[in-house]
Amino acid sequence: MKTTDNAALDAWYVIGRPEDVAPHRTYRTRLLGQDLAVLTTAADRLTVHAAEGAGYGPALPVAVKHGHIWTTLGAPDRGILDIAESVEPDRKLATCGAVRVRVSGLRLVENFLDMAHFPFVHTDILGTEEHAEVAKYDVEIRRDVDEVWATNCRFYQPQAAAHADSGQVSNYMYRVASPFNVVLYKTCPAAPERYDVIGLFVQPVEPDVSLGYAFVLVVDDESTKTALIQFQQKIFLQDRMILENQRPKLLPLDPRSEMPTRADMSSVAYRRWLKEKRLAYGVFERSAA
Amino acid sequence: MDPPAASNDWIPIALGPNVPAGTAAPVTVAATEIALWRGASGAVHAWRDRCPHRGMRLSFGFVRGDDLVCLYHGWRYRSDGGCRSIPAHPDLEPPKSICADVYPCIEKGGLVWMRLRDAGEPEQDPPDIDGGAIPVRSLTVGASLYLVRKCLAGAGGSPTAAGPRGPAAEPAEIAPNLFALTRPTAEPDRETLIAAVQPVSGTRTTLHLLVVASEALDRRALQLRISRWGESFRRACEALQDNTGSGLNDEDNR
């Protein structure tokens, strides 16, 4: 059943990629408890409808951006996030498609923001135990754009990206553009003055079931799209094993339930920001089915 | 969920040999997720299966010496539950408020026992088993604790009437959650099947089976026979459970 949480409804969400919708077939999915049908019309245009019994409701707002299909069940007060790097002609966009994770989508976003797990979950790729320390970084809730940003993040990485052949200290910035959409900007090994963009768009299916869409927008002449996708999927599947085994499955916002340290400052800001929005969907204390 | 015999009774949760030193594994006890682990020195521990940092199940962690390390961020816990180190902050002394939730846990008589609540005052130790029991196996029955206990006590009729072999065994609950089925054999010795009962959920119960027998009996053949008895006991219990209308498709399979 569709949620009644307006804070969740009034936002744009990814529900698939254009290539996931086969021509003349109905692509079915679920967003915030609402069953949806995605159709291609005779003119090869996509339409998205709420599935109602055996039929469909009227067309919902739909857009294709950053290689994904977006829709909304409510009235968002802003558009789909912009990523400035997406217009640069030498960028490769590689999208991984949906990976199902049995946990609140908010835990997916929080895991994406976290560096302290790199040595243990992505061992010898994104981190190593000998370099486990997380240096102090900066976090702010940017009120002008209503986004959470973490900047000045640094971490030593044995293999920072698909095309990295040696270790480096990566510089990161994290940007939470909306409760279920997050990107990071990191030092590009091929062009150190530019940033690679890696993102995760989360489709909340149920409060404790999510689809994660990982993607990269990188400066890389050497790697094939397949290699980029395989690298990101490997990372994501390592995270999934953790995500599906966090308890509770919904994200607690009460600061006393889970104990943060200084390395967790971005997650502390993210949780506070969610609390300000009075978001209930996927949140432990407020049950919004 | 049926409560155990009393909320602070010792509950058997594993056969000792099934918890090797240096390992951690998940166990569900009365619908509570527990991380069961054994340190290098041999001490066994039952903790709430949840790291206080970001809720990751500690049963996925790895054992280093007598410490348990959480798989997510490598937070390292001493055997008393206190946090020894946080890799993201190597120079930080973890505050005492960061600790795992430790349940009373003792190994006795070849079984690992835990209590879900600490009564506060010193309680009796879990029961010992006279004569030294040979561990056989654990098996999980798709039936409620109530039904399993009833079948073990013989009131249900079918599973224990025949006993492990031949004439009826005399069942007795010798301690909370511990049943003994003693069967006179042809020899002057006796054979006693020990069934330790662990509630898992409202429709699942684990039996930990051991046997006390004369030295003269072939140990391997004995274990095989007890194991087969356990399997037929399980089938009989599950048939009764199905007849009461509660199937296995429930919250367990979510």
Side-chain angles (χ1 to χ4, degrees):
Chain A
M1 267 194 54
K2 185 173 95 164
T3 186
T4 54
D5 177 23
N6 286 322
L9 290 167
D10 293 333
W12 287 94
Y13 295 93
V14 166
I15 55 162
R17 302 175 302 169
E19 61 261 49
D20 297 331
V21 184
H24 312 300
R25 302 288 294 269
T26 305
Y27 176 82
R28 294 188 185 280
T29 187
R30 180 181 291 183
L31 173 66
L32 297 168
Q34 172 67 55
D35 287 330
L36 299 177
V38 185
L39 313 171
T40 49
T41 64
D44 264 342
R45 281 182 57 247
L46 289 170
T47 57
V48 179
H49 306 261
E52 291 167 1
Y56 308 125
L60 295 167
V62 64
V64 176
K65 194 165 181 181
H66 308 309
H68 292 85
I69 305 168
W70 299 73
T71 191
T72 179
L73 300 175
D77 60 3
R78 74 188 79 174
I80 300 165
L81 79 158
D82 287 317
I83 301 175
E85 287 76 2
S86 59
V87 301
E88 294 169 5
D90 61 342
R91 295 256 171 194
K92 265 195 180 78
L93 172 68
T95 62
C96 297
V99 175
R100 187 169 179 270
V101 188
R102 288 168 301 169
V103 81
S104 163
L106 304 173
R107 285 227 191 253
L108 265 72
V109 171
E110 215 181 58
N111 168 265
F112 191 89
L113 294 172
D114 178 72
M115 288 181 285
H117 73 284
F118 287 169
F120 299 96
V121 181
H122 309 303
T123 311
D124 295 334
I125 310 173
L126 300 185
T128 173
E129 252 188 282
E130 294 81 52
H131 301 270
E133 182 164 12
V134 177
K136 184 174 185 303
Y137 56 90
D138 303 313
V139 178
E140 60 172 330
I141 299 175
R142 294 188 179 172
R143 298 293 177 190
D144 54 342
V145 291
D146 191 22
E147 297 180 351
V148 181
W149 280 77
T151 55
N152 196 25
C153 308
R154 290 145 287 143
F155 211 77
Y156 176 80
Q157 306 203 301
Q159 186 198 352
H163 44 289
D165 53 18
S166 64
Q168 65 170 48
V169 173
S170 295
N171 289 296
Y172 277 85
M173 291 188 299
Y174 291 92
R175 168 190 173 200
V176 190
S178 60
F180 291 90
N181 293 293
V182 58
V183 300
L184 67 85
Y185 303 87
K186 74 186 272 189
T187 321
C188 171
E193 71 286 3
R194 300 170 73 183
Y195 290 108
D196 277 341
V197 182
I198 300 169
L200 184 68
F201 298 142
V202 180
Q203 173 182 344
V205 176
E206 298 289 346
D208 60 351
V209 178
S210 314
L211 294 173
Y213 296 83
F215 69 94
V216 301
L217 188 57
V218 296
V219 179
D220 180 356
D221 293 325
E222 293 175 20
S223 306
T224 61
K225 276 196 183 180
T226 305
L228 293 171
I229 289 168
Q230 283 181 341
F231 183 81
Q232 284 312 124
Q233 277 196 336
K234 179 174 175 176
I235 299 296
F236 196 177
L237 292 174
Q238 288 173 338
D239 284 318
R240 180 166 72 171
M241 197 260 293
I242 298 290
L243 290 164
E244 293 199 334
N245 288 289
Q246 285 181 275
R247 302 288 185 262
K249 293 187 179 192
L250 306 184
L251 188 73
L253 297 187
D254 182 344
R256 290 164 300 179
S257 340
E258 296 187 346
M259 320 215 55
T261 65
R262 198 186 64 196
D264 303 309
M265 286 297 105
S266 53
S267 117
V268 170
Y270 176 62
R271 293 186 183 197
R272 190 167 72 241
W273 184 61
L274 295 177
K275 213 166 179 180
E276 288 172 6
K277 293 180 176 301
R278 308 185 66 75
L279 184 74
Y281 202 84
V283 171
F284 181 66
E285 291 87 351
R286 308 156 182 273
S287 55
Chain B
M1 173 69 234
D2 289 331
S7 59
N8 59 350
D9 279 341
W10 288 104
I11 302 171
I13 62 170
L15 291 171
N18 287 346
V19 189
T23 68
V27 178
T28 302
V29 184
T32 307
E33 289 184 327
I34 299 292
L36 174 60
W37 65 282
R38 193 190 295 272
S41 67
V44 73
H45 310 281
W47 292 2
R48 183 166 171 222
D49 197 1
R50 186 176 176 269
C51 177
H53 180 209
R54 285 289 180 262
M56 176 61 186
R57 292 172 72 186
L58 288 170
S59 57
F60 281 68
F62 48 98
V63 178
R64 280 199 182 149
D66 287 306
D67 293 346
L68 181 64
V69 184
C70 180
L71 192 61
Y72 198 175
H73 304 94
W75 286 25
R76 185 161 173 160
Y77 295 90
R78 295 183 307 265
S79 52
D80 64 359
C83 182
R84 184 194 295 281
S85 72
I86 293 174
H89 305 294
D91 299 329
L92 174 73
E93 179 77 29
K96 293 202 173 13
S97 54
I98 298 179
C99 60
D101 222 347
V102 176
Y103 292 94
C105 179
I106 294 180
E107 189 168 10
K108 196 101 178 266
L111 285 158
V112 177
W113 302 81
M114 69 169 289
R115 282 213 310 266
L116 279 175
R117 277 176 196 73
D118 207 336
E121 318 163 348
E123 282 273 340
Q124 283 182 325
D125 269 3
D128 211 341
I129 296 168
D130 292 337
I134 302 164
V136 177
R137 67 177 286 189
S138 303
L139 72 169
T140 299
V141 182
S144 70
L145 175 69
Y146 169 77
L147 198 58
V148 169
R149 290 174 55 87
K150 200 170 153 205
C151 291
L152 281 171
S158 45
T160 56
R165 184 181 63 184
E170 193 56 44
E173 185 166 7
I174 57 177
N177 301 312
L178 196 64
F179 288 79
L181 284 68
T182 302
R183 188 174 68 81
T185 65
E187 293 88 347
D189 320 283
R190 295 190 311 170
E191 178 183 296
T192 303
L193 166 75
I194 307 288
V197 180
Q198 169 200 334
V200 175
S201 72
T203 54
R204 268 182 165 72
T205 307
T206 297
L207 285 184
H208 306 287
L209 301 178
L210 310 94
V211 65
V212 182
S214 149
E215 292 280 333
L217 291 174
D218 177 345
R219 185 167 170 148
R220 181 104 181 89
L222 179 60
Q223 286 174 315
L224 208 50
R225 183 154 52 74
I226 302 300
S227 175
R228 288 197 181 123
W229 175 87
E231 287 167 0
S232 67
F233 178 84
R234 170 164 63 189
R235 279 191 293 274
C237 268
E238 290 180 354
L240 283 176
Q241 177 81 35
D242 288 343
N243 289 341
T244 62
S246 312
L248 285 174
N249 289 325
D250 55 28
E251 74 280 357
D252 292 336
N253 291 330
R254 176 121 164 65

